[in-house]
Amino acid sequence: MYNVQIKGKIIEQVKDVAKEAGAFIRLQRQDFSPDKVETKGTHDYVSYVDKEAERLIVERLRKVLPEAGFLTEECTTVDDVQHEYVWVIDPLDGTTNFVHGLPPYCVAIALRKGREILLGVVYEVVNDELFWAYQGGGAYLGEQPIRVSNEQHLNDALLCFGFPYNVEAWSPVMQRIVRDFYGHCASIRNLGSAETELCYVACGRFDGYVESYLKPWDVAAGSIILQEAGGMVTDYQGGNQWMDGQQVLATNSVLHEELRQKLTLTF
Ligand code: 2AM
Ligand code: CA
């Protein structure tokens, strides 16, 4: 049973699992070739590395909390929503980056109870950075506590905008984002790994992050890390319908409402 007493023990085990999967991914990258890539949809890649990493993570986590189910990107196990506790897993977030040998990419693992996220671990493989948090326990990068930035002015904010795979729907929005934000903030970035981008808001590297058409495993772990670091995540109406990943607005809290309003004007 998951309770306060065993929280600390579980997070340590999850950190080990994430690092083990990350080490596997790092090793596979050394002799990775593009012909090992399959296409799930247009420009939506998956490789044996994603699937093998997921199998490893699932096998390990079954021992950590036997009563928990799984919601995973590669669906190597079909065993999810009926359980009180559910592991939400992206074995390799940033697959396109991985395929191109470009950082960042990460392993992301969260534990959910109903709509509550209890803990999250994001291991960014290339920089060997382990972000983690559990509910009420603060957020950490390795051993160091992390906090969101204190940036107060949208004009000076470094913002990260995703390029979602739903090109038809997002392309016109992206053009308006460029029109309304480019030149009106410190700069605009996109890194190609949603979980890593959320962690970068959590540790103050970004002041805000916006993306659409994601899935629960793209946001679950990073969002609790962000919240525990003092940040805020909502949908574009300011509500809590962000967990499915369709609308994700993540900020240092201070800029949240101003960015939200400017964003919805942009739409
Ligand atoms: P992935 O690398 O695990 O596929 C990039 O903008 C972000 O979108 C990444 O976190 C990426 O996760 C995610 N992503 C990739 N393909 C997607 C798809 N078809 N639908 C939704 N999100 C996707
Ligand atoms: Ca992903």
Side-chain angles (χ1 to χ4, degrees):
M1 212 20 222
Y2 182 94
N3 58 34
V4 178
Q5 281 74 36
I6 61 170
K7 239 179 206 175
K9 193 172 160 219
I10 286 193
I11 193 102
E12 288 308 316
Q13 289 173 295
V14 179
K15 282 156 70 175
D16 287 344
V17 172
K19 282 193 284 187
E20 186 185 350
F24 167 77
I25 291 168
R26 187 180 299 115
L27 194 65
Q28 298 308 311
R29 178 59 230 176
Q30 285 174 10
D31 62 354
F32 190 79
S33 85
D35 43 287
K36 293 174 178 164
V37 176
E38 301 162 28
T39 306
K40 279 197 277 192
T42 312
H43 300 144
D44 189 2
Y45 303 116
V46 64
S47 70
Y48 76 93
V49 182
D50 304 59
K51 291 180 191 163
E52 286 301 310
E54 185 174 296
R55 283 194 197 99
L56 183 153
I57 295 165
V58 168
E59 195 185 302
R60 298 287 187 274
L61 292 179
R62 274 196 201 288
K63 292 180 192 133
V64 173
L65 201 62
E67 67 265 42
F70 290 90
L71 178 63
T72 66
E73 173 154 29
E74 307 307 335
C75 303
T76 55
T77 176
V78 182
D79 186 11
D80 53 17
V81 278
Q82 303 311 317
H83 295 76
E84 188 181 9
Y85 296 97
V86 177
W87 294 108
V88 185
I89 299 166
D90 195 335
L92 175 47
D93 184 52
T95 303
T96 305
N97 285 352
F98 172 82
V99 167
H100 288 260
L102 177 77
Y105 42 87
C106 68
V107 177
I109 304 171
L111 181 62
R112 217 170 65 180
K113 184 184 182 194
R115 288 191 55 81
E116 237 179 313
I117 301 172
L118 301 176
L119 62 83
V121 173
V122 172
Y123 179 58
E124 199 287 301
V125 177
V126 185
N127 289 319
D128 185 25
E129 288 189 318
L130 188 71
F131 297 90
W132 58 278
Y134 61 83
Q135 212 181 42
Y140 296 82
L141 166 49
E143 301 302 314
Q144 297 299 317
I146 51 172
R147 287 293 298 173
V148 290
S149 77
N150 193 30
E151 183 55 64
Q152 320 260 330
H153 305 289
L154 209 46
N155 263 339
D156 296 321
L158 184 59
L159 301 176
C160 178
F161 289 96
F163 286 90
Y165 288 76
N166 193 340
V167 176
E168 267 176 38
W170 196 253
S171 205
V173 177
M174 204 65 206
Q175 289 175 33
R176 293 197 291 273
I177 285 173
V178 170
R179 183 195 66 195
D180 293 349
F181 288 90
Y182 183 48
H184 302 281
C185 62
S187 196
I188 294 176
R189 297 283 184 273
N190 170 258
L191 302 184
S193 165
E195 292 281 18
T196 308
E197 287 160 321
L198 285 164
C199 290
Y200 283 10
V201 182
C203 68
R205 293 175 188 168
F206 288 137
D207 304 302
Y209 166 62
V210 179
E211 183 143 8
S212 284
Y213 311 118
L214 293 170
K215 293 283 163 46
W217 46 78
D218 296 315
V219 296
S223 60
I224 185 168
I225 294 168
L226 173 67
Q227 288 169 326
E228 287 293 327
M232 193 180 270
V233 54
T234 68
D235 57 43
Y236 301 152
Q237 288 72 46
N240 61 9
Q241 298 300 313
W242 53 267
M243 277 179 61
D244 61 3
Q246 288 297 298
Q247 299 184 348
V248 181
L249 169 61
T251 69
N252 66 355
S253 296
V254 189
L255 292 173
H256 203 86
E257 189 50 27
E258 194 183 348
L259 178 54
R260 193 191 72 75
Q261 283 186 18
K262 188 161 167 132
L263 191 67
T264 44
L265 286 177
T266 296
F267 292 177

